[in-house]
Amino acid sequence: MSYIGDFPEDFTTVAIMFTTHAASGAVVAPSSGFEAADVKIYKNGSAAEKTSTNGLTMTSPFDSITGLHCLVIDTSVDTGDVGFWVAGAQYTVVLSPDETVDSLAVAKVIGTFGIELSEVLRPTTAGRQLDVSAGGEAGIDWANIGSPTTAVNLSGTNIDVDQVVASVSGSIGSVASGGITSGSFAAGAIDNAAIAADAIGSSELAASAVTEIQSGLATAASIAALNNLSAAQVNAEVDTAIADAALATAANLATVAGYLDTEVAAILADTNELQTDWANGGRLDLILDARASQTSVDDLPTNAELATALAAADDAVLAQVALVKAKTDNLPDDPADQSLVIAATDAVMSRLGAPAGASLSADIAALPTAAALAVTDGKVDGIKTKTDSLTFTVAGKVDANITHVNETAVAGTGETGDEWGPA
């Protein structure tokens, strides 16, 4: 019999090696190889043996050596034998096979062992070794320190600079200057819950911070000016703003855009016709119609005076056309829409500081009406009829047959010896 040793609980490889011999003492193999069932295990000298072979492994022969056998016991296996393997117990292993050795039945104690019988220092996990320093001190596992609720002074222990502290609870007594550097805190590490109410006062804010906060806020002067506004002024400003916003809608602007091709085109057509008739000589006949009231031919305007007057009239017509075009560009066709856009334009002009009385509605009202234009067209047609009958033998000079001056008959051809004079 051999004593195998004292093992920790749930040790997985309690190995027992034994041999078989003939009567002569020579090594001999059994009649057949041994099995796990050929072994009986007793605890603390009790006849209550282990009832199953769970956890037992028999190798016979072992390593192909005749007469050598090996039994391996796994004390962590409790299946079928709950409570059999316990600390503080001693076990005896007996070979009682159904095989024979040298044709003889055998029974033999092949080994004994214990589970944590001796009072020795054992690792919590079997197979581990205790780390001991050069001075004989046991290594410390920071994750498993006795009395963890007791305060421990680690004044002689430094945390390596590359170590990260996952979290710190409680208060931090003090931090040396430069101890907290840029990037020490992750985004969101300090939130409103981490700062006590009223913890940051005016003394903690830089003067520049106060200036930046004030920027964009209402000043004392602007607040005072607002307080001085009367309720009527405030209401008027609000009403104006609402009216301007309502008028300058996308739909209204789209309506304005379609007006030029209709109303202004018609106005320009009428004006161009008037301008053409005027240039064709109708103006001269208007002047000649006044000859009866003249005392002499000398009272009639000279060609230069007539040209100046006609140029001024042309400029006036063109200026009026330009005004019409400028004021009527993009006005809508529908009268209701025209009124809406005109009102909107007047409101905008007023808001932009236009002179008193300046408004689109007033300018449009001053334009000639359709009826007036129709009368003018009729007069121009009559003028054109008369001027078409004039004869210009010399360019720029109208031929004239003068028979009377101030109701007095005139004779002569104007030639030397046949001067003009009373008949």
Side-chain angles (χ1 to χ4, degrees):
M1 178 187 73
S2 61
Y3 179 69
I4 306 304
D6 189 13
F7 298 93
E9 186 178 6
D10 291 339
F11 195 74
T12 60
T13 54
V14 179
I16 301 175
M17 307 282 285
F18 64 96
T19 58
T20 54
H21 302 269
S24 63
V27 177
V28 67
S31 56
S32 63
F34 295 133
E35 305 97 2
D38 294 330
V39 174
K40 296 182 183 297
I41 301 176
Y42 301 93
K43 179 174 65 176
N44 294 332
S46 171
E49 63 183 77
K50 187 177 185 305
T51 58
S52 76
T53 59
N54 295 330
L56 305 181
T57 302
M58 176 68 79
T59 304
S60 175
F62 182 78
D63 196 23
S64 301
I65 299 175
T66 301
L68 180 61
H69 317 279
C70 179
L71 173 68
V72 177
I73 304 172
D74 184 353
T75 63
S76 68
V77 178
D78 295 321
T79 304
D81 300 281
V82 176
F84 187 77
W85 305 115
V86 294
Q90 181 176 339
Y91 300 89
T92 302
V93 183
V94 179
L95 177 65
S96 179
D98 54 359
E99 293 84 10
T100 61
V101 177
D102 194 19
S103 301
L104 299 174
V106 295
K108 180 181 179 181
V109 176
I110 59 176
T112 62
F113 67 94
I115 296 180
E116 297 185 8
L117 292 176
S118 60
E119 297 296 332
V120 295
L121 183 63
R122 298 177 184 273
T124 302
T125 302
R128 292 186 177 178
Q129 295 181 346
L130 179 64
D131 179 23
V132 180
S133 68
E137 299 89 356
I140 296 178
D141 179 8
W142 285 103
N144 187 15
I145 300 178
S147 303
T149 58
T150 303
V152 179
N153 186 355
L154 301 177
S155 60
T157 302
N158 293 328
I159 299 177
D160 195 0
V161 294
D162 61 354
Q163 299 302 305
V164 177
V165 179
S167 63
V168 177
S169 60
S171 60
I172 300 175
S174 64
V175 178
S177 176
I180 299 177
T181 60
S182 175
S184 296
F185 297 102
I190 299 179
D191 55 13
N192 59 339
I195 303 176
D198 301 326
I200 300 177
S202 58
S203 60
E204 286 77 24
L205 294 177
S208 59
V210 176
T211 302
E212 292 180 9
I213 293 174
Q214 178 62 42
S215 177
L217 299 178
T219 62
S222 62
I223 294 175
L226 182 62
N227 290 336
N228 291 331
L229 288 176
S230 65
Q233 289 174 309
V234 173
N235 291 336
E237 291 295 325
V238 172
D239 291 344
T240 301
I242 292 175
D244 290 349
L247 291 172
T249 62
N252 291 342
L253 295 177
T255 302
V256 168
Y259 184 72
L260 180 61
D261 293 337
T262 55
E263 296 300 324
V264 172
I267 292 174
L268 291 178
D270 292 342
T271 307
N272 288 335
E273 182 181 351
L274 176 63
Q275 179 73 5
T276 301
D277 292 343
W278 191 264
N280 284 339
R283 297 165 295 179
L284 179 60
D285 197 46
L286 290 176
I287 297 173
L288 295 178
D289 282 344
R291 62 186 179 279
S293 63
Q294 304 301 317
T295 57
S296 67
V297 175
D298 294 336
D299 289 332
L300 292 175
T302 64
N303 289 339
E305 292 173 338
L306 182 59
T308 300
L310 295 180
D314 288 347
D315 291 341
V317 171
L318 293 176
Q320 183 68 3
V321 170
L323 176 63
V324 170
K325 184 178 186 303
K327 295 300 183 180
T328 57
D329 273 356
N330 297 333
L331 283 180
D333 293 334
D334 187 274
D337 292 337
Q338 292 177 18
S339 299
L340 182 66
V341 176
I342 291 170
T345 305
D346 289 345
V348 173
M349 291 175 64
S350 174
R351 298 290 290 176
L352 294 177
S359 68
L360 179 61
S361 57
D363 292 336
I364 291 178
L367 294 175
T369 63
L373 290 175
V375 172
T376 301
D377 286 344
K379 290 181 177 180
V380 170
D381 290 341
I383 293 171
K384 186 175 184 302
T385 300
K386 291 183 178 292
T387 56
D388 287 344
S389 63
L390 295 177
T391 302
F392 294 86
T393 303
V394 179
K397 297 182 179 180
V398 63
D399 294 352
N401 183 11
I402 300 174
T403 59
H404 291 77
V405 174
N406 291 337
E407 299 182 356
T408 301
V410 177
T413 61
E415 300 291 336
T416 302
D418 190 15
E419 290 81 1
W420 284 324

